[in-house]
Amino acid sequence: MKSFKNIFDQYQWDDVKEKLEKVTLNDVEKSLQKKNKTIEDFLNFISPVASQKLETMAKMAQSLTQKRFGKTIQLYAPLYLSNECQNICTYCGFSLDNLIRRKTLSDTELMMEAVVLKSMGVNHVLLVSGEANKTVGIEYFLNAVRLLKSHFANISIEVQPLSEEEYRKLHEAGVNAVLVYQETYHQEVYKEYHPKGKKSNFDFRLETPDRIGSAGIHKIGLGVLLGLEDWRIDSFFNALHIDYLQKNYWKSKYSVSFPRLRPAEGIIEPNFIMEDKDLLQLICAYRIWNEDLEISISTRENEKFRNHIISLGATTMSAASKTNPGGYSVDKESLEQCETSDERSMDVITNMIKKSGYDPVMKDWDSVYSGI
């Protein structure tokens, strides 16, 4: 099977770092003027020197986003299915070595959560779980999709990497999108963050989007955990991955998320601090490089940042998020995967978007544009 691994092996972490440091302001200006942007242009946009052109980049990002997506923000909410996990990850509250009370939603509890989300106006739900194949494996996910399909216009999932055949089953069951994060593309230190469990297999995780694409999933979401390693280098590899996927699985759409390391039970402190201005630069870089890419902002970010990013490249936002299984109604005290920063209700977020001159949409972009 073709794989991104073949492309990935052609690049070295330290070489990318050196290239970023050598980018000049003239390089950035030339890239901004080009009509068809390449991965090399993206590297220029995320370079340290490009921060001097942030105002210009922000204006371009705003214009490009409105041209492609209009003044519309898609809203969704996560529904956490389980905090059981067989991996040890040094940054995650669900890590196997955390002595916490574990919980997996039953069918009844799942529907209780769904009722609350529907009462909030949610029509796009993201199913999330820890990585525990025996407890929350493919049959559990298929059952959850079957139960929820008639209640939500769009169902996305963010769970452990699966086989191509399992992704095909999810696609046939009605899953619209699959999100999977490499966390970091720094292969030499990856094992330090993932010392035990299936997630410690760097290559298997790296090739997961290939399996998703081969299975015909409509949308694939990628991202890195910002704070583990140098955000510029990790983001370059993430963009390289998206570039490869778009060329090989062109029928699928793509989104990118920007999870910054947030407090959680038993986690490490960030190794690399990413300031708000850095995240703004990264978001603008993605938009200028790729006009069709969906850009998703989660409730990990604070109110002020989320309010302003609406007009500067974002297309999708989560709202009123609970990051623990049963967090909306069933078991509000169960352990969260991480803390949220923006805790405003769905109504407040919706009104904020409207006041910004944008339209909040509760369905996926495809439903909007196809008239469904």
Side-chain angles (χ1 to χ4, degrees):
M1 184 185 80
K2 57 186 176 182
S3 166
F4 174 66
K5 183 72 163 54
N6 299 326
I7 303 296
F8 177 79
D9 287 343
Q10 297 175 25
Y11 292 81
Q12 297 298 319
W13 185 272
D14 289 341
D15 291 342
V16 175
K17 180 179 181 180
E18 184 177 352
K19 287 182 179 179
L20 282 163
E21 293 171 348
K22 290 183 177 180
V23 174
T24 67
L25 198 57
N26 186 51
D27 293 330
V28 177
E29 291 171 345
K30 285 184 177 179
S31 290
L32 288 172
Q33 293 171 6
K34 289 174 61 177
K35 182 176 181 179
N36 298 313
K37 311 294 195 298
T38 66
I39 190 65
E40 287 74 23
D41 296 313
F42 179 82
L43 183 142
N44 290 340
F45 299 150
I46 62 172
S47 66
V49 72
S51 62
Q52 298 178 39
K53 303 295 292 184
L54 186 53
E55 184 175 352
T56 299
M57 291 174 63
K59 290 179 180 178
M60 288 184 65
Q62 182 181 58
S63 176
L64 291 169
T65 304
Q66 290 184 12
K67 182 181 74 172
R68 170 62 180 84
F69 295 94
K71 300 185 73 173
T72 309
I73 299 292
Q74 178 195 343
L75 292 172
Y76 74 95
L79 198 171
Y80 275 69
L81 305 172
S82 174
N83 63 10
E84 297 190 51
C85 193
Q86 297 303 309
N87 296 318
I88 292 180
C89 301
T90 60
Y91 51 80
C92 182
F94 291 174
S95 184
L96 177 64
D97 57 346
N98 279 344
L99 300 179
I100 61 170
R101 181 168 58 89
R102 304 289 174 168
K103 180 173 186 60
T104 298
L105 298 183
S106 66
D107 288 0
T108 299
E109 292 171 332
L110 178 64
M111 296 313 299
M112 289 172 64
E113 293 286 277
V115 168
V116 174
L117 288 173
K118 289 296 291 185
S119 71
M120 293 160 48
V122 175
N123 212 9
H124 180 183
V125 66
L126 170 65
L127 305 183
V128 187
S129 80
E131 301 190 7
N133 287 315
K134 292 183 179 179
T135 307
V136 280
I138 183 63
E139 294 305 321
Y140 182 94
F141 300 138
L142 288 172
N143 178 64
V145 173
R146 178 181 62 80
L147 291 172
L148 297 172
K149 186 176 180 180
S150 62
H151 300 278
F152 296 95
N154 294 93
I155 298 177
S156 304
I157 64 167
E158 182 185 333
V159 301
Q160 70 266 26
L162 302 170
S163 68
E164 180 180 332
E165 180 58 30
E166 288 170 330
Y167 284 126
R168 288 189 186 279
K169 290 180 179 179
L170 287 169
H171 177 55
E172 293 169 359
V175 169
N176 179 66
V178 177
L179 283 61
V180 60
Y181 305 143
Q182 189 65 25
E183 314 298 11
T184 179
Y185 286 85
H186 197 336
Q187 188 170 7
E188 292 181 6
V189 300
Y190 182 88
K191 186 76 173 180
E192 297 176 13
Y193 297 116
H194 312 95
K196 183 177 180 179
K198 197 169 184 178
K199 194 169 182 177
S200 65
N201 187 331
F202 180 89
D203 288 352
F204 182 77
R205 197 168 190 89
L206 188 71
E207 294 174 337
T208 299
D210 278 290
R211 299 192 296 277
I212 299 171
S214 295
I217 293 291
H218 182 71
K219 183 164 66 180
I220 305 173
L222 276 73
V224 294
L225 185 54
L226 300 166
L228 290 184
E229 293 296 321
D230 188 319
W231 68 265
R232 290 185 169 89
I233 306 174
D234 253 336
S235 297
F236 169 79
F237 278 104
N238 192 65
L240 183 69
H241 205 163
I242 293 172
D243 186 59
Y244 158 85
L245 292 167
Q246 286 185 313
K247 291 174 180 175
N248 287 275
Y249 309 102
W250 51 270
K251 290 184 178 181
S252 294
K253 295 183 181 297
Y254 295 87
S255 69
V256 61
S257 300
F258 307 88
R260 280 197 279 187
L261 194 56
R262 293 280 300 158
E265 183 72 25
I267 71 162
I268 60 170
E269 291 296 318
N271 290 328
F272 291 81
I273 302 299
M274 186 184 205
E275 305 291 350
D276 285 357
K277 63 180 178 60
D278 298 325
L279 183 53
L280 175 59
Q281 180 183 347
L282 179 59
I283 291 170
C284 290
Y286 269 111
R287 172 57 65 229
I288 297 169
W289 168 64
N290 191 323
E291 297 181 21
D292 294 327
L293 192 64
E294 294 186 18
I295 291 178
S296 181
I297 307 297
S298 77
T299 53
R300 287 176 182 247
E301 299 306 325
N302 61 56
E303 294 182 14
K304 183 178 179 180
F305 185 87
R306 278 162 53 91
N307 289 353
H308 287 89
I309 203 62
I310 285 176
S311 63
L312 297 174
T315 60
T316 307
M317 300 179 76
S318 58
S321 301
K322 301 297 181 183
T323 66
N324 52 321
Y328 296 103
S329 65
V330 174
D331 190 355
K332 297 182 180 181
E333 301 304 317
S334 65
L335 182 81
E336 296 178 318
Q337 185 182 34
C338 65
E339 290 183 10
T340 57
S341 185
D342 187 349
E343 298 181 352
R344 292 173 292 179
S345 69
M346 184 65 74
D347 285 342
V348 171
I349 293 292
T350 298
N351 289 332
M352 179 272 292
I353 292 172
K354 291 179 179 178
K355 288 180 180 179
S356 299
Y358 282 68
D359 295 322
V361 176
M362 292 294 186
K363 293 183 179 181
D364 190 85
W365 290 113
D366 302 297
S367 300
V368 174
Y369 287 129
S370 62
I372 295 175

